[in-house]
Amino acid sequence: GDSVTQMEGPVTLSEEAFLTINCTYTATGYPSLFWYVQYPGEGLQLLLKATKADDKGSNKGFEATYRKETTSFHLEKGSVQVSDSAVYFCALSDRRGGADGLTFGKGTHLIIQP
Amino acid sequence: EAEVAQSPRYKITEKSQAVAFWCDPISGHATLYWYRQILGQGPELLVQFQDESVVDDSQLPKDRFSAERLKGVDSTLKIQPAELGDSAMYLCASSLVDREDTEAFFGQGTRLTVV
């Protein structure tokens, strides 16, 4: 079945550091890929997405490129801020027969220190 | 701003009791999802509705869990009887249409504790 593997946390960085959170996936079809963010006490929010190979999703300084050859969708940001502290989830949607529910990774807790 | 409404936010119940969660999706959203998120894990899809019809319930433990969306709008997820292992966050999400680039919007969830 489909699965998503992302790097274990917590990841602790200093403000203005470069961020990479690795994500790889396994899917039988051609999935769409997503990064969601969850702030404390809140629901999940879509951060960015890519629907086909070589697409780059970007939002709020974050970006990720859909790499079909390496089945990866790594999240990057050039300069993190304290406000980026949250849990980040990589996810895929492999549409089959109208069912397009998301398969999530376990999440990576990001802590940014001032 | 439109949002997915869930209630209650928190629920404590004794094992073997029945418990129900309610979700009201964003107006006009035909697709509704229920996910379960165990602490420290990613959400896991339990059931997906398209209007009032179930599209996918392959991961729903049907011996104790049931879900309905009778009029294709709001939805109820029920657990009977609750077990200690059901303690988790239950998230509802909705999306506008069944299309590849459609974003799913999540509610704030119901945190269930079974004692």
Side-chain angles (χ1 to χ4, degrees):
Chain A
D2 298 342
S3 66
V4 174
T5 303
Q6 58 183 108
M7 61 192 294
E8 299 279 330
V11 173
T12 303
L13 296 172
S14 297
E15 204 166 21
E16 299 183 4
F18 184 86
L19 168 71
T20 299
I21 301 178
N22 291 335
C23 171
T24 58
Y25 68 90
T26 302
T28 53
Y30 298 93
S32 296
L33 302 175
F34 306 82
W35 277 100
Y36 277 82
V37 59
Q38 187 172 34
Y39 298 101
E42 297 186 14
L44 279 75
Q45 301 173 24
L46 179 65
L47 182 59
L48 53 83
K49 64 183 178 186
T51 58
K52 59 183 185 294
D54 299 325
D55 270 2
K56 177 185 284 188
S58 61
N59 185 27
K60 300 181 181 179
F62 291 89
E63 55 183 37
T65 301
Y66 189 140
R67 301 289 188 197
K68 188 170 184 293
E69 64 276 12
T70 55
T71 62
S72 64
F73 193 54
H74 304 320
L75 182 68
E76 297 181 334
K77 186 176 185 182
S79 177
V80 293
Q81 306 301 312
V82 173
S83 58
D84 294 327
S85 298
V87 181
Y88 292 80
F89 292 93
C90 185
L92 69 82
S93 174
D94 192 1
R95 291 166 55 87
R96 280 172 288 183
D100 63 350
L102 295 160
T103 299
F104 286 88
K106 292 185 176 182
T108 302
H109 187 193
L110 176 65
I111 300 169
I112 306 301
Q113 296 177 332
Chain B
E1 183 177 316
E3 60 182 31
V4 177
Q6 290 189 248
S7 67
R9 286 291 309 277
Y10 304 92
K11 180 70 178 179
I12 300 174
T13 192
E14 294 182 348
K15 63 180 180 180
S16 80
Q17 295 298 303
V19 63
F21 317 124
W22 178 78
C23 172
D24 191 14
I26 293 172
S27 178
H29 280 198
T31 306
L32 184 147
Y33 314 81
W34 283 102
Y35 290 86
R36 176 173 59 186
Q37 184 179 16
I38 295 170
L39 189 63
Q41 303 288 318
E44 172 194 26
L45 179 69
L46 293 175
V47 62
Q48 177 185 346
F49 289 93
Q50 184 69 28
D51 299 310
E52 67 276 7
S53 300
V54 173
V55 174
D56 182 3
D57 63 356
S58 57
Q59 300 302 312
L60 187 71
K62 298 181 187 65
D63 56 336
R64 297 184 301 107
F65 285 65
S66 64
E68 61 182 17
R69 194 184 184 198
L70 295 176
K71 297 183 180 179
V73 180
D74 59 337
S75 176
T76 302
L77 178 69
K78 297 179 181 177
I79 307 175
Q80 181 174 20
E83 296 180 352
L84 295 177
D86 297 331
S87 295
M89 177 77 83
Y90 290 83
L91 296 165
C92 180
S94 69
S95 63
L96 183 58
V97 292
D98 183 25
R99 200 174 68 194
E100 196 171 77
D101 59 348
T102 301
E103 175 181 351
F105 293 84
F106 283 80
Q108 291 191 301
T110 296
R111 181 167 295 283
L112 173 68
T113 302
V114 182
V115 297

